[in-house]
Amino acid sequence: MRPPKRPIHVLSTWVRRQPPKVKAFLAVVAGMSALVVLRAIVHDHDNLFVAAEAVHSVGISLLIYKIMKEKTCAGLSLKSQELTALFLAVRLYCSVVMEYDIHTLLDLATLGATLWVIYMMRYKLRSSYMEEKDNFAIHHVVAPCAILALLIHPSTSHHVINRIFWGFCVYLESISVLPQLRVMQNTKIVEPFTAHYVFALGVARFLSCAHWVLQVLDTGGHLLTALGYGLWPSMVLISEIVQTFILADFCYYYVLSVFGGQLVLRLPSGVV
């Protein structure tokens, strides 16, 4: 006699059978419910942004552990790491010249870890790097981000160069994970540490997005005017939402895989 299925398995099976529109609706409901919970339990919503950066650091730490333990970088996108290092370096510069706080220290630690990962992939573990799978053309995203930053950037009192850099790092961060998703799309199979890393990025993106959304709600929309005028405040929110939705599909299958007890994540066709 078969043992009864756990409720989470019954729920995951039901969700898998739903059409895409129903899944999208359920994802929106789940996201809004999570925002309500965060608003109730987190009193200082600035802590959400710190938490997002901390989770990103945890994700990088998982990569370092993978590289040191398994001596391989298979399944990782070097291009995604380089984009991450680029936006972190620009954001670190902006943080030093414009505010300098706990975010500066977190970004410095994460940038250092990311540069180490890049070094290992380029030189020490080059033989295991899946270069043919890492075929995303990064100039297709870097150039548009630079042009967009020139056109739409903060309207604060800082020097215009610093404001353009600020806009550039916001836009670049929102799409920096795309090369990694392309690698996973090409391989269809994601080993555990890479899956944990990308899921950590998804959680970090969601926490960052929740920070901005809840701050706007708490201030009655006044935060948008504090960020400047014109299109920039809207672009900040759009960038945060884009980051979250880019990884939402992967995170969904990751959660199903974890609850299903699978060590290796197998992605269906069309995911990411």
Side-chain angles (χ1 to χ4, degrees):
M1 183 177 179
R2 286 185 175 182
K5 291 185 177 181
R6 291 186 296 176
I8 187 64
H9 286 163
V10 175
L11 178 62
S12 64
T13 302
W14 178 81
V15 171
R16 285 177 178 175
R17 292 174 178 172
Q18 302 310 303
K21 289 183 179 180
V22 174
K23 290 180 180 178
F25 172 76
L26 293 174
V28 172
V29 171
M32 294 178 65
S33 300
L35 284 176
V36 171
V37 172
L38 287 175
R39 191 175 189 183
I41 64 176
V42 180
H43 300 292
D44 185 354
H45 296 145
D46 278 335
N47 291 334
L48 290 175
F49 197 69
V50 176
E53 293 175 315
V55 171
H56 188 176
S57 298
V58 170
I60 293 292
S61 299
L62 290 173
L63 286 191
I64 292 175
Y65 181 78
K66 164 191 167 69
I67 288 174
M68 294 182 66
K69 179 182 178 182
E70 301 181 356
K71 306 299 182 183
T72 177
C73 61
L76 298 181
S77 167
L78 176 60
K79 293 180 179 180
S80 209
Q81 294 303 311
E82 290 172 341
L83 289 178
T84 299
L86 179 57
F87 89 71
L88 282 172
V90 176
R91 191 166 74 184
L92 183 62
Y93 164 79
C94 292
S95 182
V96 169
V97 301
M98 300 169 77
E99 52 183 0
Y100 198 83
D101 51 19
I102 183 62
H103 306 297
T104 308
L105 299 178
L106 287 171
D107 279 346
L108 180 61
T110 306
L111 175 60
T114 303
L115 290 174
W116 183 86
V117 171
I118 292 173
Y119 170 76
M120 295 296 290
M121 293 181 70
R122 274 194 173 277
Y123 301 106
K124 298 297 184 179
L125 303 174
R126 184 76 184 187
S127 60
S128 61
Y129 170 47
M130 304 166 68
E131 187 171 1
E132 71 283 356
K133 303 292 186 181
D134 195 10
N135 55 10
F136 190 91
I138 60 176
H139 60 275
H140 287 167
V141 294
V142 174
C145 286
I147 294 172
L148 194 58
L150 286 171
L151 298 175
I152 305 174
H153 49 262
S155 54
T156 57
S157 59
H158 302 93
H159 192 279
V160 63
I161 296 299
N162 296 334
R163 289 187 277 129
I164 291 173
F165 279 160
W166 184 0
F168 176 71
C169 71
V170 168
Y171 300 141
L172 188 61
E173 181 184 11
S174 67
I175 46 80
S176 60
V177 74
L178 288 179
Q180 179 63 59
L181 295 180
R182 173 63 66 83
V183 170
M184 295 189 301
Q185 185 182 54
N186 290 336
T187 58
K188 290 294 188 294
I189 297 177
V190 188
E191 57 82 36
F193 284 113
T194 302
H196 299 335
Y197 164 67
V198 178
F199 180 72
L201 291 184
V203 173
R205 299 293 194 261
F206 175 75
L207 291 174
S208 180
C209 183
H211 161 260
W212 286 108
V213 171
L214 293 179
Q215 287 284 64
V216 170
L217 293 176
D218 289 346
T219 61
H222 294 301
L223 177 66
L224 295 178
T225 58
L227 290 174
Y229 53 83
L231 293 174
W232 169 247
S234 299
M235 291 302 294
V236 172
L237 289 178
I238 291 173
S239 297
E240 294 292 340
I241 294 171
V242 165
Q243 293 180 61
T244 303
F245 275 93
I246 282 177
L247 285 163
D249 208 20
F250 171 84
C251 290
Y252 162 73
Y253 284 100
Y254 174 88
V255 171
L256 291 184
S257 176
V258 169
F259 281 114
Q262 300 176 18
L263 295 179
V264 177
L265 177 59
R266 300 178 184 274
L267 297 175
S269 298
V271 178
V272 306

